[in-house]
Amino acid sequence: MDGETGTIATRRLQCGAETNYPRHDQRRSRLSDRSRIGKDHRPQGNLHQGKSLTGAKAAEERARLAYTSQVGGVNTTVARLLAELGDAEFDLKHTVTRAPAAGFVTQVGLRPGMYVVPAPLRPVMVFVNQGEKDRMLVAAFQQNSLQRVKPGDDAEIAFTAVPGRVFKGKVGQVLDAIAAGQFQATGVLQDFALQTQNDRAVAQIDILDDLSDYQIPMGSSAEVAILTHHWHHIALLRRILLRMRSWQNYVFIEH
């Protein structure tokens, strides 16, 4: 019995040793796997930190170059801001429109926030000159009288705005061009039938009487009688007809 018991115990010990060896090997393999995993992760974390450090150094270098870079002895950022300020001041100066001569502005369509360009497509204001040579009376008459009207001829003017009053004047000059002679180059043939509708000759009339007591704005209409040396004895009739037309201006109908 004892011998058999010893044999059985020995076998059990051997079996226990055989069964313990695999468990010990499994623990070793697990430990080795964990250490391998830790070794694999450590280089990647160091690589990420290295990239972050390189990026930070590059950003620092860019900031240093931007701070130390200069244009003409001035920092580039400061120079850029000064250039933008100069452009804004230049644009601000051009928002002020200065009159070329004495006069006034009428029909101002400009409002805050509007964008204006120098191209004369849609003017935002109209400037009216008030110089001595900018105010004149122009009379249009038929071409039949061109050979008789001369500078210096006497003239009489009856304004619609001043009924019953006739002013004296003289012919200053007769213009050498009329509206029918102008045309603009286009892609179509000119229709001269439409242009001949404005075929009247134009003469400048210098007013001799004082008009300061009357409200006669520029653009007012009037009737003018030019008294030439031809058939001067008929001039009396023209004077009478002009005064009759002036008296008719007292009667008018508002539409």
Side-chain angles (χ1 to χ4, degrees):
M1 281 298 238
D2 294 336
E4 293 176 359
T5 304
T7 303
I8 293 171
T10 303
R11 291 177 179 177
R12 287 179 177 177
L13 290 173
Q14 291 177 355
C15 291
E18 291 176 359
T19 57
N20 289 333
Y21 284 142
R23 293 178 181 177
H24 184 67
D25 293 339
Q26 290 177 0
R27 291 177 180 176
R28 286 183 177 179
S29 63
R30 290 177 181 176
L31 292 174
S32 61
D33 291 340
R34 290 178 181 177
S35 62
R36 187 179 299 109
I37 293 172
K39 290 180 181 179
D40 293 341
H41 282 286
R42 286 172 186 172
Q44 293 180 0
N46 294 335
L47 180 61
H48 180 69
Q49 293 178 359
K51 290 182 178 179
S52 300
L53 179 60
T54 304
K57 288 183 178 180
E60 179 186 4
E61 182 65 18
R62 289 194 299 269
R64 186 185 65 81
L65 292 176
Y67 177 75
T68 57
S69 60
Q70 295 183 353
V71 176
V74 182
N75 183 269
T76 53
T77 303
V78 177
R80 178 177 58 81
L81 294 176
L82 290 176
E84 294 178 356
L85 177 61
D87 293 340
E89 291 177 349
F90 178 80
D91 294 338
L92 181 61
K93 290 180 180 178
H94 283 72
T95 58
V96 179
T97 303
R98 304 186 184 278
F104 61 94
V105 175
T106 184
Q107 299 181 6
V108 181
L110 186 62
R111 294 295 182 270
M114 294 181 63
Y115 184 75
V116 182
V117 296
L121 300 178
R122 290 186 177 180
V124 296
M125 62 180 65
V126 179
F127 180 77
V128 180
N129 293 286
Q130 283 189 318
E132 296 181 358
K133 296 182 179 180
D134 296 320
R135 299 177 64 93
M136 67 176 62
L137 176 63
V138 177
F141 53 92
Q142 295 182 358
Q143 299 182 21
N144 306 61
S145 305
L146 272 175
Q147 306 306 317
R148 299 181 178 88
V149 177
K150 303 294 182 181
D153 289 343
D154 293 332
E156 290 188 341
I157 307 101
F159 287 98
T160 307
V162 189
R165 183 73 166 84
V166 176
F167 301 92
K168 294 181 179 181
K170 284 186 176 294
V171 177
Q173 63 174 340
V174 180
L175 301 185
D176 294 332
I178 57 178
Q182 65 177 353
F183 67 92
Q184 186 176 3
T186 59
V188 297
L189 296 176
Q190 296 293 327
D191 188 0
F192 294 98
L194 297 177
Q195 293 182 0
T196 53
Q197 296 178 1
N198 300 322
D199 60 347
R200 287 182 173 266
V202 178
Q204 176 186 343
I205 307 299
D206 298 330
I207 302 176
L208 303 179
D209 292 337
D210 186 14
L211 301 179
S212 59
D213 295 335
Y214 302 94
Q215 183 68 24
I216 304 177
M218 288 182 287
S220 300
S221 61
E223 294 188 21
V224 180
I226 299 178
L227 309 175
T228 65
H229 297 287
H230 300 274
W231 293 76
H232 59 86
H233 51 279
I234 306 298
L236 179 61
L237 296 178
R238 303 195 64 181
R239 293 174 187 267
I240 295 174
L241 292 175
L242 182 64
R243 281 158 177 80
M244 292 177 61
R245 295 296 298 270
S246 178
W247 294 334
Q248 290 178 358
N249 292 330
Y250 280 111
V251 181
F252 58 91
I253 300 176
E254 293 190 9
H255 299 283

